[in-house]
Amino acid sequence: MNALFAFLLVIFIALTASTVQCQQLRRGSRPIQSSRNLKASKSDNKTSKAASPKSSKEASKKSPKGSSPSKKTSSKSSKSSKSSTTSGGNNNLELGIIDINPTSAGPGHLVQIKHNILNQGNDFNQSDLEVIFNGGQLSVGPESFTENTVTFLVPNDLEQGDTTLALRMGNTVSNAVLFFVSDGISIVSPDPGKIVLGEDGVGIAVNLVMVFVADGFDVDTVTNEITSQFGGNVVGQIDALRARQLEVPTETLGELQNIIDQITARDDIESAVMDFLHTPEEQVTVDWTADPGSPGQHESNRVREGVQAYIDNIHPTREGAIVPGFRSIVVLESAVDFTQDDFSGYRDDGSSRSGGIGLYAAGLDPDDTSPSFHGTNVVGMIAAELNDGRDAGLLRAIGEADAHGGFNIKVAKPVATHTWAAEVAMGLESGARLFNLSAGQHKCLEFDTGGTTKTCIDGPLTSIGDIVQNNLVSVASFEAWQAVFNKVVLLMEREYPDAIMVVSAGNGDTDTGDENVRLYSSNPSNQVIVVGAHTNDAMPARASYSNYGERVDIAASGTVMASGGDSTTVEGTSYAAPLVVATIAAMRSIEPNLSPVEVLQILRSTAITIENNAVQLQDTDGSNIDATVFTRELGPDEVGVDDSRVGKGARLNVEGAILETVERRKNRTLRTGETVELSLTGSEMVTRAVEVTIPSEGVVFDKVDIMFLVDVSGSYSDSIELFKDQATDLVNAFKSSGADVHTGIASFSDFPIGEFGSSGSGDYAFRLDQRLTADSEDTITAINALRTRNGSDSPESQLEALFQLATGSGREVTDYPAASIEESESGWRLGSFRVIFLATDIGFHNPESGVGSAYYTPEYPGPTWTETVGELKLSGIRVYGLERGYEVPDVRKIVDETGGETFQLESNSDGIVDAITAALNNAAAKLDVRLVQNGDFAKMVQGIEPDVHKDVERGQSVNFDVTFSRGYAGDGEQVFAFRLEVIGSEAALIEEIPVVINLD
């Protein structure tokens, strides 16, 4: 199927794995439980199973083909390799991989892991320790074990290439690293005892040399001659470079240099080099001494470790670091007290910037005799400055090391319902995609008006059966705010699908997900992330005041050091939410295109567990009546190999979220162009030519989303089975490619109204049968479940179905409520190449005269032809037609207007699969290419010319002239980083180009 192969090369990027550096597991990064009684004496650790002389000798040589490791290997399924959790054992055991040497080797080679197995206690038994590969599908026992190292033989069962490697003891699993299995690459690291310092202070291994054998000579013959002459062994190799690593019996640099001089004098050697230690830039750290936070506050969410993880991996200009992106946040609060030490630096030079963060907020009214410091304390969790004895904001701590690319924080003052909605809309329009809402309301049905204080006598109940008395509003106020909030969320879903609003769960000790009693956390949108508050105890649990329930996505510390006011500490879910906001902002500065769903997946999959996640509900007399959960329980798809986490609560892990985002950034398929770096002085403007080249072969689009839309009216009954077969063949073809394609299925017959359709026959104008998904089996199941309906007259509701796939807006048919269409979410991904395959045999109902379809139906409740085509184009969706036996003029017309093609369903499925994949291949043959900014929140891009290059062909290069200025970055030395994105086919992301601007 050559056409399919060509299409997959052109349209998709195959999933690849990047080499990642080993990361030391910080203590406490995941809850550890042991499932066995582990025991060994201290002397056992020192003398445990040293390798035999034969094993030690053979550690430097590859085993013969087909030889087996001396330890048995066990091949297990991922499920069967997991140990169940039992009581007893050493529950404080922690496993961590610090280093691995070598990081690549072939089967039969000996490999050493440097570990930190902590809190071994009296129940430790090394025989329970395993080295596991590919998430536990294969495991081996250690050849030897010491207090600091584990040695194992690479098993024969491993395939060549990357594999995950971790340590496991019972139910406790270490951090995983990537180990590269290869017969052609294996290099050992220097022995610390064999390192001496050169005159520049750089370490050199006195016993290692790498030789590069000249072309025309046999590599192994030459190196064997050298080792025979000087002694030593071959300990490593890089076949692609014709190189061998030799260990020689030298003790000084002089002796080593003498051997190298003799080796390089040979005609069969190109060169020979010593092994110099890599000298990275000095690690930047943040001193938290003067910013302790509330006891346990930082530790419970691994805040400091998260800051360090960011600094270690991200930087605008450091070689080898990931270039961050500029991000913008809107905090819906009243004001910030800039007289407080935590914010004084933002006002010192009038720029509102400190540590690369722009903080734009109203100050407190000096005439206010009882000011609220709520906003000051909320913003403090994100941006409070360091070295003042109070707290430090997460993003500001990162800024202390100049590691990020810039953050803008707007503190938007929501005076009332209308201004609140306006502030959110303005934030969205300005490009902000992250909002903090540390607020909420509980609806009271009746207040007691007789007393001096407002008391609710009919309202939501707490977990112990009392009526909530926190953040109470009347029914009228509640319903007004609810209507406005829901409108704003709907706006986000329709127009800004990448926007996220982080909402505090509330302090009423009640179910936060009940839309009849709680705002704003009860909204079910996946663009609303709800945060509860936990304690700072050694085993954090729900804070007694925190709301709870299935709608709580994650929890964070609710007791924090105050940034403003007279109190030392403050507490509430209001202060848990901004720490999550700051974490998301940091994540999106690393990978700006993370969708709301992906953000929540990362937060929950890396979460530290809340062991006591149950919330017991009681009546006022203290009797138990029901039970619920603090946060939504972690599911099997969120916990990786550690299934002991299933069913537990989710506690924010800043470090885990940052590191997981770094890994996703490294392993993503999107192409990254050469960084554009420039310096600007004063008010100067600089224009740079940015070259964009469409690949002559291989990949073009990063992601492809394909939705099948099928006619299930009575006239299509003869064709639907053929459609099922061929659609299934297409889905399977996409699946087998291993590429980044999502598929889905939707269907239509017609509105069940009068002559259009029949409610008795189950007619409907649109139904989303399966949203776009990476799981092809779900799509195939939905395809096979299709059955024909009626659809009384000839034309059908194709326009309505296409309109709904583009917008998801739903439709209310007031005269016929049963015909109404609910809102839906098709699942189009940001930056994807978007296709709808429309399978139908008849024309379209169209309530628009003289445009599009000839089936003019003035009383039809659906959208017009013009509206539908407009929404398809706005969403960057191409329609491809699937006809059966004859042409359908309306299909041809809408395909032509959206840039697709039309195909005939045939009994031979190979024909249509080849034809469709060839057509999608042609979609990348000529593209209209644009260059757009992502994250330029200081308005530094003054212009991009031209706006678009038309009909750019494969292999062709085009230039865009981009003009830069300081924008509103303000005076002073600063560094900003953002992206220029290469867009083709209206909305499909092809490439990103980092931009780094140094302001003098």
Side-chain angles (χ1 to χ4, degrees):
M1 200 174 294
N2 293 332
L4 176 60
F5 179 73
F7 158 63
L8 294 172
L9 281 177
V10 173
I11 300 295
F12 304 128
I13 293 178
L15 299 176
T16 57
S18 300
T19 302
V20 296
Q21 295 180 343
C22 301
Q23 297 288 342
Q24 178 178 350
L25 180 65
R26 273 81 171 181
R27 296 183 61 181
S29 64
R30 67 170 65 173
I32 303 298
Q33 291 188 343
S34 175
S35 62
R36 305 180 186 179
N37 291 322
L38 309 172
K39 187 172 183 179
S41 67
K42 194 169 184 179
S43 60
D44 285 340
N45 287 338
K46 291 182 178 180
T47 60
S48 58
K49 287 180 69 177
S52 66
K54 180 178 179 181
S55 296
S56 298
K57 182 178 180 180
E58 291 181 352
S60 62
K61 298 182 179 181
K62 181 187 169 193
S63 297
K65 285 280 186 182
S67 65
S68 300
S70 60
K71 284 284 180 183
K72 70 177 182 179
T73 65
S74 58
S75 205
K76 308 175 183 179
S77 69
S78 179
K79 181 177 180 180
S80 64
S81 68
K82 299 173 184 175
S83 301
S84 60
T85 302
T86 61
S87 60
N90 185 357
N91 289 326
N92 293 318
L93 179 70
E94 298 181 38
L95 300 177
I97 294 177
I98 299 173
D99 194 13
I100 185 168
N101 184 26
T103 58
S104 172
H109 278 89
L110 204 61
V111 177
Q112 186 180 81
I113 298 171
K114 186 177 180 182
H115 66 75
N116 59 337
I117 301 180
L118 306 175
N119 302 324
Q120 296 177 13
N122 296 321
D123 298 326
F124 184 85
N125 190 336
Q126 71 171 71
S127 64
D128 290 326
L129 185 67
E130 300 173 286
V131 181
I132 63 173
F133 305 89
N134 290 327
Q137 295 183 29
L138 186 71
S139 67
V140 299
E143 287 291 307
S144 64
F145 175 88
T146 72
E147 289 180 338
N148 300 308
T149 64
V150 172
T151 306
F152 71 94
L153 280 168
V154 180
N156 290 329
D157 308 73
L158 287 175
E159 295 180 359
Q160 300 279 303
D162 279 332
T163 181
T164 60
L165 181 153
L167 295 175
R168 179 173 65 193
M169 182 170 288
N171 202 42
T172 302
V173 180
S174 77
N175 57 311
V177 298
L178 277 181
F179 180 76
F180 193 74
V181 182
S182 173
D183 292 320
I185 304 175
S186 180
I187 298 294
V188 301
S189 300
D191 181 346
K194 296 290 186 179
I195 294 174
V196 298
L197 296 180
E199 59 182 4
D200 58 0
V202 175
I204 308 170
V206 297
N207 64 331
L208 293 177
V209 58
M210 180 172 284
V211 298
F212 297 87
V213 178
D215 290 340
F217 297 91
D218 182 75
V219 175
D220 290 326
T221 300
V222 172
T223 51
N224 286 338
E225 289 177 3
I226 292 172
T227 54
S228 295
Q229 178 182 356
F230 300 107
N233 296 295
V234 176
V235 294
Q237 66 198 75
I238 306 176
D239 285 351
L241 299 179
R242 296 177 58 81
R244 293 293 184 267
Q245 185 186 36
L246 310 181
E247 182 182 34
V248 292
T250 52
E251 298 294 334
T252 67
L253 286 180
E255 293 174 357
L256 181 61
Q257 185 62 56
N258 179 52
I259 289 180
I260 288 177
D261 290 342
Q262 296 182 64
I263 291 174
T264 54
R266 297 173 57 112
D267 293 337
D268 49 14
I269 294 294
E270 286 188 353
S271 60
V273 296
M274 296 182 188
D275 200 11
F276 291 82
L277 293 189
H278 177 56
T279 54
E281 294 185 38
E282 184 178 356
Q283 176 173 287
V284 181
T285 59
V286 174
D287 184 359
W288 295 83
T289 305
D291 303 275
S294 181
Q297 172 188 337
H298 296 155
E299 292 80 358
S300 64
N301 297 123
R302 300 191 63 77
V303 174
R304 300 180 187 183
E305 294 86 347
V307 169
Q308 192 61 49
Y310 191 103
I311 293 169
D312 289 344
N313 290 279
I314 314 299
H315 197 275
T317 58
R318 189 177 69 227
E319 184 177 357
I322 294 172
V323 177
F326 199 169
R327 295 289 91 193
S328 180
I329 305 167
V330 173
V331 179
L332 294 158
E333 286 290 339
S334 58
V336 170
D337 183 4
F338 289 104
T339 68
Q340 300 291 328
D341 290 340
D342 269 350
F343 294 101
S344 58
Y346 287 96
R347 73 171 193 273
D348 283 348
D349 63 0
S351 70
S352 295
R353 305 197 72 84
S354 175
I357 297 174
L359 177 59
Y360 305 97
L364 290 182
D365 183 352
D367 295 329
D368 189 346
T369 58
S370 57
S372 170
F373 294 97
H374 188 271
T376 303
N377 292 323
V378 166
V379 177
M381 297 299 299
I382 303 171
E385 293 180 299
L386 283 73
N387 302 316
D388 53 33
R390 304 198 82 161
D391 199 4
L394 174 62
L395 300 185
R396 183 58 184 81
I398 293 172
E400 194 75 0
D402 298 322
H404 61 66
F407 292 100
N408 273 359
I409 302 173
K410 177 184 179 182
V411 180
K413 199 168 185 176
V415 177
T417 309
H418 298 172
T419 54
W420 183 92
E423 290 288 0
V424 177
M426 286 188 289
L428 292 168
E429 185 70 21
S430 70
R433 296 295 182 267
L434 182 58
F435 296 79
N436 187 99
L437 181 56
S438 291
Q441 302 174 356
H442 299 111
K443 180 170 68 175
C444 179
L445 299 177
E446 184 179 357
F447 288 101
D448 180 0
T449 58
T452 57
T453 59
K454 182 175 66 174
T455 304
C456 183
I457 59 175
D458 186 1
L461 300 179
T462 69
S463 64
I464 59 174
D466 295 332
I467 296 175
V468 173
Q469 301 297 330
N470 173 275
N471 293 99
L472 296 166
V473 296
S474 67
V475 174
S477 175
F478 184 92
E479 291 178 349
W481 277 103
Q482 186 175 54
V484 169
F485 184 76
N486 290 346
K487 286 285 187 182
V488 167
V489 173
L490 183 59
L491 173 67
M492 290 166 51
E493 292 176 338
R494 289 183 179 176
E495 306 295 335
Y496 304 97
D498 53 343
I500 295 174
M501 186 168 293
V502 177
V503 177
S504 56
N507 304 331
D509 183 25
T510 192
D511 190 334
T512 199
D514 188 344
E515 62 182 0
N516 294 314
V517 300
R518 172 69 188 174
L519 283 177
Y520 305 93
S521 51
S522 60
N523 188 289
S525 172
N526 60 23
Q527 291 179 244
V528 176
I529 294 178
V530 180
V531 184
H534 63 65
T535 63
N536 295 340
D537 302 331
M539 293 288 289
R542 181 178 76 95
S544 60
Y545 54 80
S546 177
N547 286 354
Y548 49 79
E550 291 286 345
R551 189 61 188 91
V552 178
D553 296 303
I554 198 159
S557 171
T559 304
V560 303
M561 180 74 74
S563 290
D566 298 327
S567 300
T568 303
T569 60
V570 290
E571 61 182 13
T573 59
S574 285
Y575 310 117
L579 182 58
V580 174
V581 164
T583 303
I584 295 172
M587 292 162 58
R588 280 185 157 180
S589 74
I590 300 168
E591 182 56 281
N593 293 318
L594 287 174
S595 70
V597 170
E598 290 170 326
V599 165
L600 189 56
Q601 286 173 342
I602 292 173
L603 291 176
R604 286 179 56 81
S605 67
T606 61
I608 308 166
T609 58
I610 298 173
E611 299 297 314
N612 181 17
N613 193 47
V615 177
Q616 181 63 56
L617 304 182
Q618 298 179 329
D619 206 342
T620 52
D621 62 2
S623 59
N624 295 338
I625 56 175
D626 202 352
T628 184
V629 293
F630 173 24
T631 79
R632 185 168 70 259
E633 295 178 343
L634 292 169
D637 60 338
E638 296 176 307
V639 300
V641 298
D642 189 1
D643 58 2
S644 68
R645 301 173 65 222
V646 174
K648 305 291 179 63
R651 171 163 51 108
L652 176 67
N653 178 356
V654 178
E655 179 193 31
I658 295 298
L659 290 176
E660 174 62 21
T661 306
V662 168
E663 289 306 304
R664 292 199 181 201
R665 174 67 172 76
K666 290 178 178 178
N667 296 329
R668 70 179 187 176
T669 56
L670 179 63
R671 291 190 302 129
T672 302
E674 185 176 349
T675 299
V676 176
E677 186 170 0
L678 66 151
S679 298
L680 295 174
T681 301
S683 59
E684 72 173 321
M685 298 178 69
V686 174
T687 298
R688 286 286 184 88
V690 177
E691 185 179 79
V692 172
T693 302
I694 305 301
S696 58
E697 58 183 19
V699 302
V700 174
F701 301 123
D702 180 37
K703 305 169 186 174
V704 177
D705 290 335
I706 297 176
M707 179 68 73
F708 293 93
L709 176 60
V710 60
D711 186 340
V712 293
S713 65
S715 64
Y716 205 66
S717 59
D718 293 338
S719 303
I720 196 166
E721 292 304 321
L722 181 60
F723 165 79
K724 289 180 180 181
D725 291 341
Q726 299 196 349
T728 299
D729 289 340
L730 280 168
V731 172
N732 282 325
F734 299 142
K735 174 185 177 182
S736 64
S737 73
D740 190 6
V741 57
H742 284 194
T743 55
I745 180 74
S747 56
F748 65 90
S749 54
D750 211 338
F751 283 101
I753 301 173
E755 64 183 32
F756 305 141
S758 167
S759 58
S761 298
D763 284 334
Y764 50 85
F766 169 76
R767 186 174 71 189
L768 182 62
D769 300 277
Q770 172 60 57
R771 75 189 305 272
L772 290 159
T773 176
D775 191 337
S776 59
E777 294 302 320
D778 287 348
T779 302
I780 292 172
T781 298
I783 289 172
N784 289 329
L786 294 173
R787 66 180 182 86
T788 55
R789 310 290 170 156
N790 185 20
S792 301
D793 59 350
S794 292
E796 308 296 355
S797 59
Q798 292 93 335
L799 290 180
E800 181 68 271
L802 290 167
F803 185 88
Q804 293 300 327
L805 286 177
T807 68
S809 60
R811 186 174 303 279
E812 183 179 2
V813 185
T814 54
D815 293 338
Y816 300 93
S820 295
I821 301 171
E822 293 185 355
E823 296 173 5
S824 60
E825 188 177 344
S826 298
W828 303 108
R829 291 177 292 171
L830 296 173
S832 65
F833 179 71
R834 301 173 179 184
V835 173
I836 294 175
F837 283 115
L838 173 60
T840 187
D841 62 351
I842 199 63
F844 309 173
H845 273 302
N846 181 20
E848 182 178 21
S849 177
V851 180
S853 172
Y855 289 93
Y856 173 51
T857 316
E859 71 280 13
Y860 198 70
T864 66
W865 183 280
T866 301
E867 290 171 336
T868 302
V869 172
E871 291 294 344
L872 290 169
K873 289 183 175 181
L874 184 64
S875 298
I877 298 172
R878 298 189 183 198
V879 178
Y880 285 72
L882 299 178
E883 299 175 338
R884 176 72 192 280
Y886 55 88
E887 292 185 8
V888 181
D890 286 356
V891 171
R892 298 295 174 108
K893 188 172 294 186
I894 204 161
V895 163
D896 181 64
E897 292 189 23
T898 60
E901 291 190 41
T902 306
F903 305 93
Q904 292 291 325
L905 290 170
E906 301 171 356
S907 57
N908 182 355
S909 63
D910 286 347
I912 192 171
V913 170
D914 286 347
I916 288 174
T917 53
L920 291 174
N921 182 11
N922 292 336
K926 284 188 177 182
L927 295 171
D928 292 346
V929 178
R930 294 179 294 119
L931 194 65
V932 301
Q933 61 80 18
N934 182 337
D936 177 25
F937 295 107
K939 306 300 181 186
M940 295 180 171
V941 175
Q942 297 299 303
I944 300 176
E945 296 291 340
D947 178 62
V948 61
H949 282 285
K950 295 277 191 179
D951 297 327
V952 182
E953 299 182 355
R954 301 297 300 268
Q956 183 179 351
S957 296
V958 294
N959 283 330
F960 291 89
D961 290 330
V962 185
T963 301
F964 302 94
S965 75
R966 297 182 78 95
Y968 58 76
D971 297 329
E973 294 184 1
Q974 303 175 70
V975 178
F976 291 87
F978 53 91
R979 269 82 161 160
L980 294 173
E981 294 183 337
V982 181
I983 305 295
S985 185
E986 300 298 332
L989 185 58
I990 296 175
E991 181 182 10
E992 75 168 23
I993 300 170
V995 176
V996 177
I997 299 180
N998 300 280
L999 300 182
D1000 298 328

